[in-house]
Amino acid sequence: MAHSRLNELIEKATKLFAEKGFAASSMRDLAHEMGIEAASLYSHIHSKEEMLEIICFKKADQFLAALDEVNDIYFNAEEKLRMAIKLHVSIICKNPNASKVFIDEWRHLEEPHKLKFIEKRNLYELGILEILKTGEQENLFKEVDLKFATLTILSTVNWINQWYNPQGKMKPEEIANELSNFILTGLKK
Amino acid sequence: MAHSRLNELIEKATKLFAEKGFAASSMRDLAHEMGIEAASLYSHIHSKEEMLEIICFKKADQFLAALDEVNDIYFNAEEKLRMAIKLHVSIICKNPNASKVFIDEWRHLEEPHKLKFIEKRNLYELGILEILKTGEQENLFKEVDLKFATLTILSTVNWINQWYNPQGKMKPEEIANELSNFILTGLKK
DNA sequence: CCTACCGATCGGTAGG
DNA sequence: CCTACCGATCGGTAGG
């Protein structure tokens, strides 16, 4: 497979960055994981930061693609929101390490990539916000501060990354369902 | 004032750790902020990590004290939850930088402090969980996975730290109110 | 992918 | 709080 060694490198970097944080991860740590010398890493990548870019932007594009999928198919705002949440949770659970880097480590990106990353993230937030706005217009959702509600929803769907265990008893679909119900109807009877 | 120079140091360290992350913050950065040489920092503290301890544990104790306050005074589970959220948001908004360190940087604590920190955090989570359990028993709240609901609630109240601006138009009280309503009744009409 | 190495920077200490 | 300094480690390059 072409680039398979590069793929392996990115995978190991993802795990390392997720576990120790970008700044606390050294190229020598990573080289050790790969079973090679630190200097040899640079035949696969140009810099430590480049790996962070690859990880963050790949994840950002996955989320944006999910948004397109939602907007292409579903009509009702509640269904749209449920679908968006389901896809979001699915993306996170499919690769918790990469998600952790996407959520917590992007700030170590250098310009101009950092700015570009924030733009993509904003685009995603806007997509969720549009769904909520539609729900308001359809008289399905309460009238709330849309920005506030968007960020609150994203916080709950991102947080699962902190405790999600692939070996745990809850499957991504169940998590998404519970979360959607919580977001839509709250805690009160 | 006794320890005022130490207080200033911790304050500046808090800001630095919040903005750049613990691992990416250097003692020379911090010394520069203080207007002294890096070596001089060690007449106030023993190590870089010690500052992280001070910040994290102070914040942890604030949250635990809030829990006591809630449990001492309020009876109804809904009121308890609203009060807990209000105090939580208030603690975060009072010092967003320290809260950021508490939420994101504690993993750089060294043992045995890391373990002790996790214990305190678990104690807090348990306190919130107890409130939800009471609400269930009082037939006020839905029957949900208590652990799941607790983490979801904490995620939303912690996330405000990412975007809260002390100069913004929303006051902590309003944020707490919106958040409580959202958590209790959800988005749906 | 390796050996050999670079300058820069790291957290921290000794001694005043 | 300073000067002077330590050994360790950092990301990265040259040349093969």
Side-chain angles (χ1 to χ4, degrees):
Chain A
M1 225 174 143
H3 304 301
S4 77
R5 194 70 173 139
L6 175 60
N7 285 343
E8 192 185 342
L9 177 59
I10 296 298
E11 210 171 286
K12 292 215 157 81
T14 302
K15 187 162 178 256
L16 196 62
F17 295 168
E19 284 169 1
K20 303 183 68 171
F22 178 75
S25 301
S26 77
M27 295 302 270
R28 279 152 182 89
D29 287 339
L30 184 54
H32 183 81
E33 292 284 329
M34 291 291 286
I36 59 178
E37 294 300 315
S40 305
L41 294 170
Y42 293 89
S43 56
H44 296 104
I45 39 90
H46 297 100
S47 68
K48 186 184 174 188
E49 202 254 359
E50 194 194 27
M51 293 186 288
L52 184 62
E53 286 169 38
I54 292 170
I55 299 164
C56 288
F57 281 94
K58 186 182 166 189
K59 219 63 195 164
D61 289 336
Q62 284 177 14
F63 283 117
L64 287 173
L67 209 55
D68 287 340
E69 202 178 322
V70 169
N71 285 322
D72 277 0
I73 305 180
Y74 288 79
F75 296 104
N76 175 289
E78 179 175 340
E79 280 182 342
K80 268 195 180 178
L81 185 59
R82 284 185 181 274
M83 183 71 176
I85 290 168
K86 188 181 135 188
L87 290 175
H88 190 108
V89 171
S90 155
I91 290 169
I92 285 182
C93 292
K94 206 162 48 189
N95 195 337
N97 284 331
S99 303
K100 181 136 198 1
V101 175
F102 171 83
I103 294 169
D104 287 335
E105 303 298 329
W106 62 268
R107 66 166 158 174
H108 293 107
L109 288 169
E110 289 165 16
E111 299 296 2
H113 309 105
K114 194 174 179 176
L115 197 68
K116 204 176 163 188
F117 178 86
I118 292 174
E119 279 170 14
K120 288 201 181 229
R121 205 196 46 177
N122 286 347
L123 220 56
Y124 186 68
E125 282 181 15
L126 201 65
I128 302 295
L129 190 142
E130 282 298 324
I131 295 174
L132 300 189
K133 195 196 267 181
T134 308
E136 252 188 25
Q137 287 161 353
E138 289 172 357
N139 211 29
L140 280 171
F141 296 164
K142 289 170 189 158
E143 278 187 41
V144 291
D145 184 323
L146 290 172
K147 179 89 179 166
F148 185 90
T150 301
L151 292 171
T152 302
I153 289 168
L154 286 175
S155 79
T156 67
V157 291
N158 281 334
W159 202 261
I160 65 159
N161 196 51
Q162 304 271 20
W163 52 265
Y164 176 66
N165 172 10
Q167 268 80 49
K169 59 183 192 297
M170 256 179 129
K171 285 177 193 159
E173 290 250 5
E174 289 175 67
I175 294 172
N177 246 323
E178 290 269 349
L179 229 38
S180 290
N181 291 338
F182 187 86
I183 287 166
L184 284 160
T185 68
L187 199 62
K188 212 169 164 180
K189 247 188 174 168
Chain B
M1 226 172 142
H3 304 301
S4 78
R5 194 71 172 140
L6 175 60
N7 285 344
E8 191 185 342
L9 177 59
I10 296 298
E11 210 172 286
K12 292 215 156 80
T14 303
K15 186 162 179 254
L16 196 62
F17 294 169
E19 284 169 0
K20 303 183 69 170
F22 178 76
S25 300
S26 78
M27 294 303 269
R28 279 152 183 89
D29 286 339
L30 183 54
H32 183 81
E33 293 283 329
M34 290 291 286
I36 59 178
E37 294 301 315
S40 304
L41 294 170
Y42 294 89
S43 57
H44 296 106
I45 39 91
H46 297 100
S47 68
K48 186 185 173 188
E49 201 255 358
E50 193 194 27
M51 293 186 288
L52 184 62
E53 285 169 39
I54 292 171
I55 299 165
C56 288
F57 281 94
K58 185 181 167 192
K59 219 64 196 163
D61 289 336
Q62 284 178 12
F63 283 117
L64 287 172
L67 209 54
D68 287 341
E69 201 177 323
V70 169
N71 285 322
D72 278 0
I73 306 181
Y74 289 79
F75 295 104
N76 173 290
E78 179 175 341
E79 280 182 343
K80 267 194 182 179
L81 185 58
R82 285 185 180 273
M83 183 71 177
I85 289 168
K86 188 182 135 185
L87 290 175
H88 190 107
V89 171
S90 154
I91 289 169
I92 285 182
C93 292
K94 206 163 47 188
N95 195 336
N97 285 332
S99 303
K100 179 135 200 358
V101 175
F102 171 83
I103 294 169
D104 288 335
E105 304 299 328
W106 63 268
R107 66 165 158 174
H108 294 107
L109 287 168
E110 289 165 16
E111 301 295 3
H113 309 105
K114 194 174 178 175
L115 197 70
K116 204 175 164 188
F117 177 86
I118 292 173
E119 278 169 13
K120 288 202 179 226
R121 205 196 47 176
N122 287 347
L123 221 54
Y124 186 68
E125 282 180 15
L126 201 66
I128 302 295
L129 190 141
E130 283 298 325
I131 296 175
L132 300 189
K133 196 196 265 180
T134 308
E136 251 188 26
Q137 287 162 353
E138 290 173 356
N139 211 29
L140 280 172
F141 296 165
K142 291 169 188 158
E143 278 186 42
V144 290
D145 184 323
L146 289 173
K147 179 89 178 163
F148 185 90
T150 301
L151 292 172
T152 302
I153 289 169
L154 286 175
S155 78
T156 67
V157 290
N158 281 334
W159 201 260
I160 65 159
N161 197 50
Q162 303 272 19
W163 52 264
Y164 175 67
N165 172 11
Q167 269 80 48
K169 60 184 192 294
M170 257 178 127
K171 284 176 193 159
E173 291 250 4
E174 290 176 66
I175 294 172
N177 246 324
E178 290 268 348
L179 229 39
S180 290
N181 291 338
F182 188 85
I183 288 166
L184 284 161
T185 67
L187 198 63
K188 211 169 164 179
K189 247 189 174 166

